Amino acid sequence: MAAKKAPMDARASMPKVVGKVVQLKLALVQPNPWNPNRFTPQLYASLKHGLSHDGWLAAQAMLVWGKDAKGVTRNLIIDGEHRWRAATELGMVSGPAVVLDGLTELQAKQFTIKLDAKRGAFEREPLSAVLRQIQFDLGVADLGLELGFSNEDLMRYLASPSIDTVTDESDGGGAPPPAPPLQSQNAHTTMVPLFFDEATHGEFTAALPKFEQRFKTTVVTETVLAVLREAAKAKPAKRR
Amino acid sequence: MPPAPTAPRTVGAVTLIDIESVEPNPWNPNRLDPSQYASLKHGIQHDGWVASQALLVWSTDKKGKRRMLIIDGEHRWKAARELGMTKVPAVLLERLGEAEAKALTIKLDAKRGEFEPTELGRLLREIQAARPGDDAGALGLDLGFDASAMARLLAPPPEAAGPNQVSQNPNVKTVPLFFTGATLEEFTGLVRELGAKHGADNTTDVVMAAVRAVL
């Protein structure tokens, strides 16, 4: 896995490039069971759209845990599970990947977190500026899908920075709502707790796997939402 | 087996380039706070630059004019340069319009998903237990979280630390659900609607009524 030494590798402490990007058969690897990264269905659709229209950029290669420290083959995706899933669904048979051998499970788990955690966040004004520059040039029907934003967010980011202090004489449409400061994405998460007694909790957790299978969900929140949607669709309520 | 005729392709190839041959673009809206940047740099220094995180470079524009601007990876490039690296992994894209280059900067950052806080917390506690020699500060630097984020994420699971004191009662089990803006709205709308339908007046009862009706 070690990259060739650069010819001018003079400084002993200089960091190295680790691994090499190769084309890997997608069927050889599978998602790890610990990945805490989640995509909303909308964002996943956008990711898949991007792979389908732009291809899979080799700069977005998967990171794969090949063999563990004892030489046992693992072939688990450390980083890139959603790209792998979307590419598989799109019929790709191989994709760009770096395979690291010799990692312990702890090291593999830490890589999953590190590579996701150190990504920074969009700053509102520069983001709005770029979006305004490119919105017409791209010539795409659905800019949100193309770029990975909900239409609601996109509208906010495209709004003029001074929109809430100026009366609406500049633009054709109504003034968009004033934009809240753009925070890191996680900051928008709201927690809603459900409180159970022992018996009901048992009933709930026993039902979860059945729903997960039926609605193809993996996260409790998604599963509960799917159940509620289904219940709302059902005509007269089945009284219990 | 050849790929299906319509299947997308891998685009570009990773090569090692001279770190001085490229420079940051002027439009990048991505910001790292100082602690996150320190953590990124720490990672490159200690783990190396993992080649799956190659730079994406706008090599030439539609007219073939040389640009050599970093589309994605500015902070990695900056940290690596400060650490004395001379060659870095990169994918060079040629004959790309400026709008496409700018769009790539946005989309590659926007489509990353989010950490599910409960699962992230569980994983971090597991890692912490396996590294007894490291305090939260050292772990945070290594993994990419500042001190307050580490404190929040390493706190005991929500069963014992929910915002509602009811969860202090050992006989009450708490299951936290996590929503972002649009899904929270949908959730509260559904709870209201189903609450009326099932004659239930709190969220847990509504969810259980739906579970029993749908099962």
Side-chain angles (χ1 to χ4, degrees), chain A:
Chain A
M1 71 165 181
K4 293 245 161 55
K5 273 188 183 165
M8 47 198 331
D9 185 9
R11 272 168 274 196
S13 65
M14 195 172 81
K16 302 256 160 63
V17 175
V18 174
K20 191 173 178 341
V21 175
V22 296
Q23 281 291 310
L24 192 72
K25 289 248 188 292
L26 299 182
L28 284 180
V29 296
Q30 52 178 328
N32 70 60
W34 61 78
N35 187 12
N37 186 280
R38 295 287 176 271
F39 275 56
T40 62
Q42 192 177 31
L43 192 63
Y44 181 73
S46 180
L47 177 78
K48 196 167 163 181
H49 171 91
L51 281 176
S52 156
H53 287 77
D54 302 331
W56 186 339
L57 283 164
Q60 302 272 300
M62 290 184 288
L63 184 61
V64 170
W65 183 25
K67 290 185 166 70
D68 66 20
K70 289 176 181 157
V72 178
T73 299
R74 299 294 191 132
N75 287 350
L76 292 179
I77 300 166
I78 290 175
D79 183 45
E81 171 183 337
H82 297 97
R83 275 163 274 168
W84 171 85
R85 193 178 297 280
T88 303
E89 287 173 8
L90 288 166
M92 289 181 79
V93 291
S94 64
V98 169
V99 180
L100 293 186
D101 291 329
L103 297 180
T104 63
E105 182 162 324
L106 180 66
Q107 286 172 319
K109 287 178 173 173
Q110 293 183 94
F111 264 126
T112 298
I113 297 182
K114 290 184 207 195
L115 298 182
D116 254 4
K118 304 178 186 181
R119 297 203 188 279
F122 285 131
E123 191 177 44
R124 174 59 193 270
E125 272 319 309
L127 174 62
S128 292
V130 184
L131 290 174
R132 282 194 294 268
Q133 287 160 22
I134 63 176
Q135 61 174 319
F136 302 115
D137 294 344
L138 283 181
V140 293
D142 190 338
L143 195 61
L145 177 70
E146 181 74 17
L147 298 178
F149 299 107
S150 70
N151 286 329
E152 190 187 30
D153 284 345
L154 194 61
M155 199 175 77
R156 278 213 324 266
Y157 303 153
L158 283 171
S160 163
S162 53
I163 198 80
D164 45 341
T165 59
V166 177
T167 46
D168 60 315
E169 53 195 38
S170 44
D171 298 308
L182 185 66
Q183 299 164 332
S184 94
Q185 296 179 336
N186 286 334
H188 294 299
T189 307
T190 305
M191 185 181 112
V192 177
L194 301 178
F195 300 107
F196 295 101
D197 57 43
E198 292 266 357
T200 323
H201 184 255
E203 187 186 349
F204 177 77
T205 47
L208 272 183
K210 294 172 196 160
F211 289 132
E212 280 168 2
Q213 205 168 16
R214 180 161 153 197
F215 298 115
K216 298 189 169 42
T217 52
T218 51
V219 180
V220 178
T221 302
E222 284 172 8
T223 310
V224 168
L225 252 185
V227 168
L228 293 183
R229 285 185 194 124
E230 193 65 23
K233 259 195 282 175
K235 282 289 173 186
K238 265 193 259 167
R239 295 272 170 189
R240 74 174 208 99

Side-chain angles (χ1 to χ4, degrees), chain A residues 38 109-110 117 133 229, chain B residues 36 102 119 126 131 186:
Chain A
R38 295 287 176 271
K109 287 178 173 173
Q110 293 183 94
Q133 287 160 22
R229 285 185 194 124
Chain B
Q36 212 174 33
K102 288 178 174 172
E119 294 190 26
E126 182 188 329
R131 294 174 56 174
E186 186 191 358

Side-chain angles (χ1 to χ4, degrees), chain B residues 84-154:
Chain B
M85 287 182 81
T86 53
K87 300 271 183 190
V88 290
V91 170
L92 304 186
L93 294 184
E94 292 176 345
R95 300 271 167 183
L96 193 68
E98 181 161 335
E100 284 76 22
K102 288 178 174 172
L104 274 172
T105 299
I106 308 284
K107 30 182 154 168
L108 297 182
D109 259 1
K111 302 180 190 183
R112 297 206 188 280
E114 294 176 26
F115 283 128
E116 206 282 316
T118 321
E119 294 190 26
L120 176 61
R122 191 184 306 143
L123 198 50
L124 286 175
R125 283 190 298 276
E126 182 188 329
I127 290 167
Q128 186 189 35
R131 294 174 56 174
D134 291 322
D135 62 17
L139 271 183
L141 176 66
D142 189 25
L143 299 175
F145 303 95
D146 65 22
S148 69
M150 282 306 278
R152 187 162 36 82
L153 289 162
L154 287 173

